Amino acid sequence: MTGAGIETEKPRWYPTDVGRTLLAAAAWLVVGALSVVALGRLVYLDDVLSWPYAALNALTPLLYLPVYASLVVGFGLRRNALMLATVPLIGLHLFWTVPEIWPGGAEKAPDGAQPVRVLSANLLYHNASAGRLGSQIEAAHPDIVVLVEASPLTLGAVQKSGALAHYPYRVDKPAAGAFGYAVYSRYPLSDLSAPVVGGQPLARMTVALDGGRRFVLYPVHTIAPTSAENTREWRAQLSQLATEVHGSRLPVVLAGDFNATHDHRPFRRLLSSGVRDTHDATGTSWSPTWPANGLLPPVLRIDHVLASPAFAVTGYQRGGHYGSDHLPVIADLALRSPDSADQPDEG
């Protein structure tokens, strides 16, 4: 009844009292569950918990979307407490996600900088169609090609395409399973080493550009954090990469499948060790790379090219499908002259 004693008629779609209670309960359940996940991220549970916590954090851009539905439910049912409870979660979601999708622009190559185009691709070790990547390599004309999950099957298929034939320098380390790798370069490669970290090789090599400039290249493929043991090894690999970057006397480029996104604290620590994500430096907007072989589009960006601030990042793009569950990424870099006036500070 209204103040005037007239009963208002509710629209047909308006839920019954039971329906309103169930809607509110479901909305509170969403808020409660995601509050626990968000709190865990804020107190760095990434460092101690394993599967499925790493997967939940990886899905941050999508995982928190039901909170917006809870806000709508709260508004529609006039549940002020429910609406207020969604505000911190929405704020955190925007804080964590907007930088990933915010548009921007590529940097300009400084005078005297040497351009280097890097193409990185996870071949998927049992991908019988891996040779299709060859046309993308030929179209992109990269100076360096980094291939992970390079099995005899997949690497052989790319080689048969002819796209790698004109690279004079190469490191071929195919292996059965998911942890073979290969690097093809227009520039000399030296100082190859591959210490075992987290049960898998952590390869690195030196690339010699024109004019005596050099940088260290890491073809990266970390283990996926899909179990407690794998997560420990994954953390160890990312931690070792951060140590390598921090201690390097030369600029570094890391390219490959990190099985990590910005929503993983171990990956953020790697970035803070002295490298930039080329995707972020160019403001390329949301560009997920995995999984790329299903009916739905990719939802996670776990393939990266990271580079020291000694490199200007002049371009970034995703490649197309070629039978793998990953999309390739192409980064355009320009190594600044050591005495360049616009050489940025490290860090």
Side-chain angles (χ1 to χ4, degrees), residues 146-148 171-173 179-183 189-207 216-222 237 240-241 244-245 252-256 258:
V146 176
L147 304 174
V148 298
V171 173
D172 288 336
K173 298 292 181 180
F179 292 98
Y181 65 93
V183 175
L189 304 173
S190 62
D191 303 326
L192 172 67
S193 63
V196 174
V197 178
Q200 302 299 334
L202 182 66
R204 62 177 179 264
M205 62 200 70
T206 301
V207 182
V216 180
L217 174 67
Y218 294 82
V220 176
H221 188 200
T222 65
Q237 291 170 331
Q240 182 62 34
L241 286 172
E244 296 263 345
V245 168
V252 299
V253 172
L254 305 93
F258 292 72

Side-chain angles (χ1 to χ4, degrees), residues 220-300:
V220 176
H221 188 200
T222 65
I223 195 166
T226 54
S227 68
E229 181 179 359
N230 285 359
T231 302
R232 285 193 297 269
E233 294 177 352
W234 171 75
R235 289 194 192 107
Q237 291 170 331
L238 291 172
S239 177
Q240 182 62 34
L241 286 172
T243 299
E244 296 263 345
V245 168
H246 183 72
S248 179
R249 303 183 68 174
L250 292 174
V252 299
V253 172
L254 305 93
D257 173 12
F258 292 72
N259 277 304
T261 74
H262 281 246
D263 297 300
H264 291 123
R265 189 165 183 253
F267 185 75
R268 296 195 301 275
R269 281 201 297 263
L270 172 57
L271 292 176
S272 68
S273 69
V275 286
R276 300 187 298 162
D277 190 328
T278 55
H279 167 277
D280 298 342
T282 56
T284 315
S285 189
W286 196 43
S287 302
T289 60
W290 182 90
N293 58 349
L295 296 177
L296 298 176
V299 295
L300 300 181

Side-chain angles (χ1 to χ4, degrees), residues 53-125:
Y53 193 71
L56 291 176
N57 276 341
L59 289 167
T60 291
L62 303 178
L63 183 67
Y64 291 83
L65 293 180
V67 172
Y68 297 86
S70 294
L71 175 64
V72 172
V73 170
F75 179 80
L77 300 182
R78 297 180 176 83
R79 304 291 178 93
N80 292 336
L82 177 58
M83 286 190 289
L84 288 174
T86 66
V87 171
L89 288 174
I90 291 174
L92 286 171
H93 182 239
L94 294 175
F95 177 75
W96 290 330
T97 305
V98 167
E100 180 81 3
I101 63 175
W102 196 259
E107 300 170 340
K108 292 183 179 179
D111 293 339
Q114 180 162 1
V116 182
R117 171 170 280 194
V118 178
L119 182 149
S120 175
N122 181 316
L123 299 177
L124 182 60
Y125 68 94

Side-chain angles (χ1 to χ4, degrees), residues 110-113 336-344:
D111 293 339
R336 296 177 169 92
S337 171
D339 57 355
S340 173
D342 53 2
Q343 177 79 26

